[in-house]
Structure formats: structure tokens, C-alpha cells
Amino acid sequence: MAKFVVTPANEEQRAAWQSRVAMPEVERVRPGLWSIPVPIPINPLRYVLVYALELPGGVVIVDAGWNTDEAYRALCDGLSVAGYSITDVKGVLVTHIHPDHYGLAGRVRESSGAWIALHPADANLLHDRYDDGAIDALVEKERRILVRSGVPRLTLDELAGASMMIRHMVSMAKPDRLVEDGEALGLPGWDLRAIWTPGHSPGHLCFVSPERRILFSGDHVLAKITPIVAVHPQSGPNPLADYLDSLAAVRKWDVDEVLPAHEYRFLELAERVDHVMLHHEERLAEIEAVAADVASGISCWDIATRLTWSRPWETIPPFMRRSANNETLAHLVWLESRGRLRRIAGDVDLWVPA
Ligand SMILES: [Zn+2]
Ligand SMILES: [Zn+2]
């Protein structure tokens, strides 16, 4: 794939990301807009970029961070650099329900009385928490996905147990406000609009300011990495189709700068979107070719082990192999939906050329 490299909006922020150790600075991005890096525990992404938007008498933040004391302190300290305290937070606009974005929102509300806003499709994923045994049911669903993918029995327990994400999701605060696609958020001084961008998460939202020509992209579009788009118990039925549509939905906006939740800010939205689309097209072609190679049919897991990953398959830790399997499955489901592959359903589903 021809390499396209985005232009960082701030070279120092990019350098901090690249260093793998340094935290970027709390930064005034523009008048009335701040970027606050909030650490994520034991994760190679290292931090979430929380954005604080100044309003008369306070701020609204985009995303909140992971629910740890360290993250809460970093958020409070960052706000004080901007001249605010946690009690000045009027609202939390959450891009999606993942714990590095939503985890801390409840605590911010407790401290400040802020509202919490989320898309209904992600809010729906929370309701399970009120049922006893909800987590067990989700883990069981995940197990079924892995079994039908053809994950070997010995590997299964190792993989199915790695459900940290699910556990965190079912212990989170309820939102006060549901935000729909295209909704104008009505923040004084801001012409901010929500763009529903399902794929990475069913209710993922981006926020665009046409006047300021900026896009808050959450995990949907990032400078270097691509977000995980996978079939799992809380995904949509065809998450890759959603994701590719959502890429097209943000590409329409003519903006000067993309403000993502990880890594660093950058300039070229359309080119980056095209590059990510191309990446998935190549992945789809690779998966189709592997499936075409075995006339009798091949399982999702066996396909996953044959693909090129960023490191040798044997060295990938269990929870990442599970993601790899479920990402492969998202591509298979997409190929099936376009009539390029056929699924032979069974105890283990096998994939053959259509
Ligand atoms: Zn995420
Ligand atoms: Zn994230």
C-alpha cells in the first residue's frame, strides 16, 4: 500500500507520542479550546486526549478518560492549567462507551453536576448491567462466537476469559442526554454538531464545528493506527459495513484539523480516510484470497492465523488473538454481505468462495 503520512498539527505532540514514554503537554489548541492528555493504565495507547471547550461560565469536555485516581488527577490538573476546576465542567460529550473514554464520566458528574451525553446505540449497551448475571451472559456469547470461529478447545478458555472490556462496560454511569446523528448540541459559542459514526462501537459519535473547521474524531479516525472493528457480543451485525459508511460520513466535512482521542492531532481528514479505506480493501482481498485457497472451506480462526499481522502470530498475546479473530470475522461477514464469500454454518462455520 502506498504510504500516506499525515501532517501533525503540533510537532511536539507527535514527538511525545512517538517517544512511547513522554506525555504531550496540556495545550491551548485555539482560543477557547484545550487538549488535556489523560493517562490510561497499562495500555500501549498510553493516554486519551480530552478536549475542553470553553463556554460562558465553564467548560464542556469531549471524552473523560479511564476511571482511575491518576486519570482523575490528570484531568483536574489539566483543567487548572486552562484556568478551570472540575466543578466548572457543565457537560461531558462522550464519543463512545469504551472505558478509556466513558469510564471517568460518572465521577466528573459527581464532582460537578455535569450532564453526560452519549449516542443511544451505545447507551443501550449499558442496560444489561441491571440484570444479574449480565456479564456471564456476555462472556457466554463471546464464547459462542469463538467456538463457531473454530478457536481450538485448548485456546478457548484463555481467550474467552479475556473479557476486561465487557466487565468495565457494565459498571458505568447512565447518560443524562442522548445525542442523535446530525444533532446540533446547542453549546453557547460553539456550532458543534454530532455525526453518528458506528463501526468501532455501535454508537460512536464524532463532533464537527463547521465554523472552526475542526473535527473531534474520537477513535473513528486516528493519525496512524486504525481502530478495532470486530464482531463481538456488543457489536452491530456487520460492523465493518457500518465503519466504512461512517468513514464516508465524516469525509464529507471540509475541515482543517482532526482532533482524535489518541496519538496526535493532524491536518488531512480526507486523505487519511481514503488511506484507511484502502487498508480495509487490501485486508478484504487478503482474506478472500486465503479463503479461496482451501476449496473445502476454512474457519475464521484458521484464516486469522494465516494473515499478516504486525508481529508473528505465535507472539501475539491471547486477548489480542481474540481481537484478531473477531476483526477477521468482521471482514468475513462483510465479504458475505457483498456476495464474495459464503458461510457454511455448523458447529464451526466454514468459509468458501461464493
Ligand atoms: Zn474505543
Ligand atoms: Zn480509545
Side-chain angles (χ1 to χ4, degrees), residues 92 104-116 173-176:
V92 188
L104 203 52
R107 197 150 152 191
V108 172
R109 179 170 61 192
E110 275 168 37
S111 311
S112 65
W115 45 260
I116 301 173
K174 269 173 94 173
D176 307 285

Side-chain angles (χ1 to χ4, degrees), residues 96 98 101 200 219:
H96 65 300
H98 291 166
H101 302 256
H200 173 60
D219 281 0

Side-chain angles (χ1 to χ4, degrees), residues 40 43 45 47-48 63 95-96 98-101 165 200 204 218-220 222 225 227 261-262:
I40 314 172
N43 187 304
L45 292 175
Y47 55 83
V48 163
D63 285 330
T95 58
H96 65 300
H98 291 166
D100 49 329
H101 302 256
M165 195 64 116
H200 173 60
H204 193 288
D219 281 0
H220 183 50
L222 300 155
I225 52 173
H262 301 288

Side-chain angles (χ1 to χ4, degrees), residues 151-296:
V151 174
R153 195 147 284 285
L154 273 174
T155 321
L156 199 58
D157 288 329
E158 214 181 1
L159 297 201
S163 299
M164 289 303 290
M165 195 64 116
I166 289 169
R167 276 170 208 284
H168 280 287
M169 274 186 220
V170 293
S171 61
M172 282 190 217
K174 269 173 94 173
D176 307 285
R177 185 173 167 184
L178 297 178
V179 174
E180 300 280 354
D181 185 34
E183 190 171 323
L185 293 158
L187 308 180
W190 288 86
D191 63 334
L192 210 62
R193 265 177 196 287
I195 312 170
W196 182 34
T197 48
H200 173 60
S201 167
H204 193 288
L205 289 169
C206 293
F207 303 102
V208 67
S209 165
E211 221 169 75
R212 296 183 198 224
R213 300 175 57 83
I214 55 176
L215 175 79
F216 298 95
S217 64
D219 281 0
H220 183 50
V221 187
L222 300 155
K224 289 193 80 170
I225 52 173
T226 55
I228 290 176
V229 177
V231 174
H232 58 79
Q234 295 198 315
S235 74
N238 192 346
L240 186 59
D242 293 341
Y243 181 67
L244 296 174
D245 287 347
S246 298
L247 285 178
V250 292
R251 197 192 185 287
K252 284 185 219 150
W253 291 92
D254 186 18
V255 297
D256 296 331
E257 192 170 327
V258 182
L259 291 79
H262 301 288
E263 301 183 316
Y264 49 90
R265 304 194 308 282
F266 61 95
L267 305 188
E268 304 91 344
L269 172 65
E271 290 87 343
R272 180 62 188 150
V273 163
D274 291 346
H275 191 73
V276 174
M277 283 179 168
L278 195 64
H279 160 78
H280 284 289
E281 270 167 39
E282 291 188 355
R283 202 57 165 167
L284 287 161
E286 186 187 7
I287 288 170
E288 197 175 13
V290 172
D293 228 30
V294 187
S296 54

